[in-house]
Amino acid sequence: MSGTGGGFVRRIGLFQATAINMSQMCGIGPFVTIPLMVAAFGGPQAVVGFVAGAVLALADGLIWAELGASLPGAGGSYVYLRQAFQYRSGKLMPFLFVWTAMLFIPLIMSTGVVGLVQYLGYLWHGMSQTQGDLVGLGVIALVVGLLWRGVEHIARITAVMWCVMIASVVLVIAAAFSHFDPGQAFTYPAHAFDLGSGQFWTGFAAGLTIGIYDYLGYNTAAYMGAEIKDPGRTLPRAIVASILGIMGIYLLLQIGTLGVVDWHQMLDPNSVASQSVASAVLEETWGKTAANVVTVLILITAFASVFAGLLGGSRVPYDAARERVFFRPYGTLHPRHRFPVLGLATMGVVTAVGFLIGRHTDLATLIQLLTTVMVIVQALAQVLAVTVLRRRQPTLRRPYRMWLYPLPSVVALVGWLVIYGYADKNSPGRHPIEWSLAWVAAGCVAFVLWARAEKVWPFGPKEISEEYVEEGAGGDPGAAGPAGTRGGAASV
């Protein structure tokens, strides 16, 4: 469906949406977090972390699937929280989400750039800290430059990078299983699965956090709901397919790596296995030349992940600005290429700042800090949003309804609470829970000041808009939000 009236255009189909999700999910993440996962569990039983992360991702993905299919607007969570919580708290929840997303989305992208520079060190021996910093900043500038164009061109670029991503992980998996040692992969330390041990559950919580970080990205296409063809069918399929596909890849990658590289080496911060574990697998099996080639492919994969993440994330503030829930300049699209200019530019800058911070801190701690902020404002709120919308908007058209409702919501709720509750314990001295609460509190203060200036609730009347219910009555599950509605989420 083509867009008119200056809004987004629906040009992204199922394959492209799945590729966008998978490119974001399987970036540099598993290649840098396998040693972190082994350290969390204290042995090759670390595979449990990837399985647990997949279960949480699938449960949460079904929440995204129902919300994305029913409310296919630009901004993803912003649209869902706006529709669900407008009845009691006005625009507070969508405001807080945008406030937080403008921080956590680009900071997650910054971890990908940190990993890219880390792997580049395998090829560039003796790379200094300053040189690595400059390379990372150059990569971010290149990503923003490539995104500064029409979405139809971006979709083609993403499809190509998705193929490179698949090639890189397939080669690492093939190399690992060509010299696979089952005894090494499946020999566990004593009491590795002692469920009565507090150490196991502490490691499990840390592993779950790392695991869900590796799966993050299954929702990227949902942020682009106003640009997805037939979103009622495309988004649920893209979300589920990307999670199941990446789950298979991660398990093969983790098990294969443990069958080639001694897990004790991954605990040595000065070893190749701890810094570039995939390169270590290739060097051990197919030799140095093959390791160099695959390392280049991994660098491209990391680049693709950052590319896809900023592509989806830059759409987040657009709908909020059009709804007068965020700074109004963020509601402006490029006059020719129809992408949100200020959202992309801002997230590019924050990614650069986060990259520089991440270069001088522990990656596991940075992941912990990022996930706590995301959990409290986005993940837990969306678990509640599904139930609230089923009660508040029973006539809303739902092309997809969550399987086994409410079981996935319960599983997701427990998983996110485990991650949040163990955050401080897994990051001694960093206080991620306190930082996340402080950020939300600052957002509440900002909302009060903004609401007073805009004269909206609590300083004015609540504005209730059920535009997707009105759309649903029309019966086109693939249509965008109605043209000319107050939200302007997806004018067509």
Side-chain angles (χ1 to χ4, degrees), residues 29-56:
F31 298 117
V32 297
T33 57
I34 287 177
L36 298 179
M37 191 77 81
V38 170
F41 279 89
Q45 69 272 24
V47 69
V48 172
F50 283 111
V51 174
V55 172
L56 176 55

Side-chain angles (χ1 to χ4, degrees), residues 49 52 94 145 237 316 404 448 472:
R237 293 181 179 186
V316 171
L404 302 177
V448 170

Side-chain angles (χ1 to χ4, degrees), residues 62-89:
L62 295 181
I63 293 173
W64 278 89
E66 176 166 328
L67 294 173
S70 306
L71 310 168
S77 292
Y78 164 75
V79 178
Y80 317 149
L81 301 184
R82 183 195 70 202
Q83 287 292 303
F85 299 108
Q86 61 183 325
Y87 304 96
R88 291 188 178 274
S89 58

